[in-house]
Amino acid sequence: MSDATAGFKRLTRLDRARERLEERLVPTDRTTTRRLEAADGRVLATAIDARRDVPHYERAAMDGFAVRARDTFGASERSPAVLDRDETTNPRAGTWVHTGSELPAGADAVVMVEQTEEVDGEIEVHEPVAEGANVAPVGEDVEAGTRLYEPGHRLRPSDLGLVKSVGIGEIETYDPPTVGVIPTGEELVQHGPEAGETIETNGLTVSRYVERWGGEATYRDVVTDDRAALRAAIERDLTKEIVVATGGSSVGERDLVPSIVDELGELLIHGVALEPGHPVGIGIVEETPVLALPGYPVAAIVTAVQLLRPALKRIGRLSRHPQPTTEARLDAKLPSEPGTRTFARVELNEEGDDSIAVPVRTGGAGVLSSVALADGWVIIPESSEGLPAGETVAVEHWEQLP
């Protein structure tokens, strides 16, 4: 056991820790009917079928003249088809239309304006058009009855526009998972730190990630390292679907959260084989999962990404997709302890057509800038003792929404 993990009886593999947590999670069944304006980012609880065709009428696909195609047959530059500009009195006529205009009765094609010339109140057509040319038919975009989305789809702005276009103004969505985020530590302040004090960042960071990942966070005031105060704070948020405490998760005198969780319920796991972030606790209190994240900022972020995000996806019925990655060549060696999954922060530089991954730091779980200013991280598996310089790696862009 390394110095970094001293004090822990055993470390659980990350995959097993996720499994044990997710075994105790129940997907939400709470739903709300929302207007489209309030549904961005929400998860559909019901399927969406188109109520009408889009477009629901034949429309011009470009600016020009609506015509009967047969009236243009044989047209050329030398021998144009001549149509009446006054469509009200002559069936051999061209009616001016804008893109999106309804096609006039009797017309079955549109001649582009570039292929016409107006001469003495008449329209000369220099190229023939076929029936249906430059016309968007009924249902070209969406046909009535088409299944657009299945339950579980997380709505994007483009989805809302499509749903509105087919005649739907309200939809039923699952309510987002609720999360109480409790920053802990007697040294934490929100502003103006004096010697020995530290600005609180973990609670802010984690609560914003909760919102980004589809949850609804309540960012609590800092709770000092007092057993009664910490116990009360955790009990207060048991009405949430997840409770997250940041700090106080290790094995020191002031690391009280894991033992409090065990007193109130069941501490499933204390210590996970990942770096940074091994001093993490996972428990269940009154059927509510409680995560005790490390106090070091980078460790808090790594454990939130690896444990909290998949928990939110399961509870919120969110689809899971792999994070986007960039293939790159390592600029320097990345060390790792066998048996531990390591998340090494890197910057990406361009060298010709290649991407180069430059390690930011391999240690320093308390150096927030090392992750905030990085482009991503390289995941070193438990089976490896590190990666050599020159190795081709996948840089995971963990902050991007998958």
Side-chain angles (χ1 to χ4, degrees), residues 95-150:
T95 303
W96 174 256
V97 288
H98 296 285
T99 302
S101 295
E102 182 180 8
L103 209 65
D108 56 20
V110 174
V111 180
M112 291 189 296
V113 66
E114 297 89 341
Q115 297 171 353
T116 66
E117 184 177 356
E118 291 192 59
V119 179
D120 297 329
E122 295 179 319
I123 302 164
E124 294 185 352
V125 179
H126 298 141
E127 290 188 26
V129 290
E131 183 177 340
N134 304 317
V135 174
V138 172
E140 179 191 47
D141 192 350
V142 181
E143 293 184 356
T146 300
R147 172 64 50 87
L148 299 179
Y149 303 108
E150 298 288 351

Side-chain angles (χ1 to χ4, degrees), residues 209 213 275-276 298-306 309 323-326 334 342-348 357 361 370-371 374-380 393-399:
Y209 280 135
W213 296 334
E275 180 62 36
V298 182
I301 289 172
V302 170
T303 51
V305 172
Q306 299 305 313
R309 179 164 63 182
Q323 290 296 128
T325 61
T326 296
L334 287 177
T342 299
F343 295 80
R345 294 139 272 167
V346 299
E347 293 178 349
L348 285 174
R361 295 182 73 111
S370 70
V371 68
D375 293 308
W377 55 42
V378 175
I379 303 174
I380 307 173
V393 295
V395 178
E396 183 175 281
H397 303 290
W398 56 272
E399 281 205 290

Side-chain angles (χ1 to χ4, degrees), residues 95 106 113 182 184 196 213 238 240 248 257 262 292 320 341 353 401:
T95 303
V113 66
I182 309 166
T184 77
W213 296 334
L238 293 178
K240 309 293 187 185
V257 175
D262 207 30
R320 302 191 186 191
R341 190 174 304 183
D353 294 332
L401 285 176

